[in-house]
Amino acid sequence: MKYFIFFLLIFSVSGIISGQDLDIYKHQKNSNFELPAIPKDMTYEEFKILSTDLRMQDMMIATILPGHIHFKIGEKKKGYYILGARSIGYLSWIYLSVSNKSLTRIILLDNAGLDKTLNTQDVIVAYGSVVLIIGSYLYDWIHGRYVLDDKQNRIRYKYARKKLQFGMNIIKTPGYQYPGLQLTFNF
């Protein structure tokens, strides 16, 4: 019986792991099959930005690959800055491990005040590396989401303004016809 439960547990976990993506946000449409009406002067880069979604999968990839979100939305310069900042944080971890100092020992014992033999430089390096790693991840996710939303809104605004049309039409009322200015919105 315990082998059956073990195999059932392994089978259920393997089904969860083999899933393609984790979603928190509900998608109302399938953008892979729906062909949108694309304006004539829209570039491929603008279309690509409009169809980009940041999903939970990207959030998890950004924990491993520094700058992933900014690279995905086309902000390569900021992506390289994030990559450099997180690399410095990882290198400081390597420095602490090569010098035979445990990062958790430094952070936990220094906070508790139990270890008076800790070097101040090691404590600064330990806290600095944690701040760089976590801060660069949060900046990548939060700022990347903001920049993507802003880019998408700017593109939508640009092409929505072009749909505003002015024209001279004959306005027909019962019994009268006279020229007039008509404002037309196309959605």
Side-chain angles (χ1 to χ4, degrees), residues 3 10 16 24 41 43 56 72 89 93 115 123 127-128 156:
Y3 293 115
I10 296 296
I16 293 171
I24 292 179
D41 50 346
T43 64
M56 185 63 93
K72 185 173 181 174
W93 269 7
D115 194 358
V123 173
Y127 282 113
R156 285 186 199 106

Side-chain angles (χ1 to χ4, degrees), residues 60-98:
M60 288 186 226
I61 291 172
T63 60
I64 299 168
L65 299 173
H68 168 73
I69 303 297
H70 280 80
F71 288 126
K72 185 173 181 174
I73 64 173
E75 296 285 322
K76 295 191 186 311
K77 189 174 182 181
K78 288 185 183 174
Y80 283 119
Y81 287 147
I82 294 168
L83 176 66
R86 193 148 351 142
S87 297
I88 290 171
Y90 289 145
L91 287 174
S92 63
W93 269 7
I94 292 170
Y95 162 76
L96 289 174
S97 64
V98 166

Side-chain angles (χ1 to χ4, degrees), residues 155-175:
I155 293 169
R156 285 186 199 106
Y157 180 75
K158 175 183 171 183
Y159 290 105
R161 284 188 59 146
K162 290 184 179 182
K163 287 185 176 184
L164 180 66
Q165 297 176 352
F166 291 98
M168 281 296 266
N169 292 331
I170 302 278
I171 299 174
K172 296 181 181 179
T173 57

Side-chain angles (χ1 to χ4, degrees), residues 11-165:
F11 181 73
S12 65
V13 169
S14 67
I16 293 171
I17 292 173
S18 68
Q20 291 180 358
D21 194 3
L22 295 173
D23 265 337
I24 292 179
Y25 312 108
K26 184 178 179 184
H27 290 276
Q28 299 293 335
K29 63 180 181 173
N30 189 348
S31 60
N32 293 331
F33 295 109
E34 184 176 306
L35 296 175
I38 301 171
K40 292 178 184 176
D41 50 346
M42 180 181 277
T43 64
Y44 175 71
E45 287 77 23
E46 289 174 332
F47 178 75
K48 190 174 166 184
I49 288 171
L50 277 179
S51 61
T52 300
D53 271 341
L54 293 180
R55 303 172 70 148
M56 185 63 93
Q57 181 181 20
D58 296 315
M59 188 181 221
M60 288 186 226
I61 291 172
T63 60
I64 299 168
L65 299 173
H68 168 73
I69 303 297
H70 280 80
F71 288 126
K72 185 173 181 174
I73 64 173
E75 296 285 322
K76 295 191 186 311
K77 189 174 182 181
K78 288 185 183 174
Y80 283 119
Y81 287 147
I82 294 168
L83 176 66
R86 193 148 351 142
S87 297
I88 290 171
Y90 289 145
L91 287 174
S92 63
W93 269 7
I94 292 170
Y95 162 76
L96 289 174
S97 64
V98 166
S99 63
N100 293 327
K101 296 172 180 137
S102 171
L103 185 68
T104 55
R105 179 179 160 262
I106 291 173
I107 292 174
L108 294 178
L109 293 180
D110 183 54
N111 279 341
L114 300 175
D115 194 358
K116 301 296 182 191
T117 63
L118 290 175
N119 187 357
T120 308
Q121 179 185 2
D122 294 336
V123 173
I124 292 172
V125 168
Y127 282 113
S129 66
V130 169
V131 167
L132 272 175
I133 292 169
I134 293 173
S136 66
Y137 169 74
L138 291 175
Y139 180 80
D140 190 22
W141 177 252
I142 295 169
H143 184 261
R145 182 116 185 137
Y146 170 76
V147 169
L148 178 64
D149 288 343
D150 187 51
K151 282 184 172 184
Q152 288 175 341
N153 286 336
R154 288 181 188 275
I155 293 169
R156 285 186 199 106
Y157 180 75
K158 175 183 171 183
Y159 290 105
R161 284 188 59 146
K162 290 184 179 182
K163 287 185 176 184
L164 180 66
Q165 297 176 352

